[in-house]
Amino acid sequence: MLPEWIASLPPWLVLGLLGGGLASVFVAGVFLIGGRMFPDEPTPRGHRVDGSARRRTEIRKYLRTISEPFTEDHAIDGETVEFYLPQRDVALTFDAQAYFRLERAGTYTVLCEHEMPVHALGRRLPFDVPKFDFGSRRRASDDPVGEAFDHLGLARTASPEDVRDAYRDRVKSVHPDHGGSQAEFKRLQEAYATAREHAAE
């Protein structure tokens, strides 16, 4: 027996309500059964690149570019900072509370806001930082192949062996492990790849 208020409704509306309700239950049942029979792939729990992870990567790259030794997740004066420059006694942190505590303790601390461009970090450090053009790309050369051979100190008629030997010779002084910078090393790798591709057979 239907409740009195439902019985007072026009028959077409009652059938619509009942039919719609039954349809909703049916569709929900299909999704429930389908979800159990064909479960979604589990979401990987690996390393997620969120805002702070991206900032860490940018700062890490910046410090390597300016050849500044650093440690990560360093404990100092009861706080753990994201980066610590041991030769300078400078801490870099994303945490405002850690920043104020360390400043009071006498450690020079830089608060790195998430929206701060990484090249602006150099202006906040208490020492002179080499100047690099982090924001703009190099102007495209009219002759990238010739530029690649020039960078290796070779003529465009050089053989693949000459290109390889010139690269091996230059990499000794340009590689970051031998006192060079990451930017110089990357440029040498690009020149080597282009010159090798266009070397005379």
Side-chain angles (χ1 to χ4, degrees):
M1 181 119 197
L2 293 174
E4 188 176 315
W5 69 272
I6 293 180
S8 67
L9 296 172
W12 60 269
L13 186 57
V14 173
L15 288 175
L17 289 173
L18 290 175
L22 289 175
S24 296
V25 170
F26 176 75
V27 170
V30 168
F31 276 100
L32 181 66
I33 292 168
R36 294 203 178 172
M37 290 177 65
F38 307 103
D40 292 337
E41 291 291 321
T43 304
R45 296 186 178 267
H47 180 66
R48 218 182 55 151
V49 179
D50 59 8
S52 64
R54 190 185 78 250
R55 293 298 289 155
R56 277 177 167 264
T57 302
E58 291 171 353
I59 292 171
R60 189 180 301 120
K61 183 177 177 182
Y62 177 83
L63 293 172
R64 287 181 178 145
T65 300
I66 65 170
S67 302
E68 186 63 38
F70 63 91
T71 60
E72 291 189 55
D73 299 320
H74 184 82
I76 181 170
D77 292 322
E79 299 290 337
T80 300
V81 294
E82 283 74 14
F83 295 92
Y84 180 68
L85 314 182
Q87 294 178 354
R88 314 277 190 174
D89 189 30
V90 172
L92 309 178
T93 185
F94 301 140
D95 182 356
Q97 292 180 348
Y99 166 78
F100 288 114
R101 288 186 195 116
L102 290 171
E103 280 286 297
R104 280 194 298 270
T107 299
Y108 190 94
T109 308
V110 176
L111 179 62
C112 301
E113 300 91 355
H114 290 289
E115 65 277 358
M116 178 184 78
V118 73
H119 60 82
L121 178 60
R123 292 193 298 265
R124 296 185 178 192
L125 295 172
F127 53 89
D128 290 331
V129 174
K131 301 291 183 210
F132 290 98
D133 187 9
F134 292 98
S136 64
R137 294 180 165 187
R138 286 187 301 125
R139 185 177 60 82
S141 171
D142 293 335
D143 182 18
V145 176
E147 186 179 280
F149 281 98
D150 288 345
H151 192 70
L152 291 166
L154 297 171
R156 284 191 67 154
T157 56
S159 69
E161 292 78 21
D162 294 333
V163 171
R164 183 196 62 223
D165 292 344
Y167 171 76
R168 286 181 177 171
D169 187 52
R170 291 281 314 276
V171 80
K172 293 173 187 172
S173 60
V174 174
H175 196 281
D177 292 344
H178 300 286
S181 73
Q182 192 67 33
E184 291 173 318
F185 180 54
K186 183 178 179 187
R187 186 164 179 228
L188 177 63
Q189 287 179 309
E190 290 169 356
Y192 172 58
T194 302
R196 185 180 59 190
E197 188 176 324
H198 294 88
E201 291 296 332

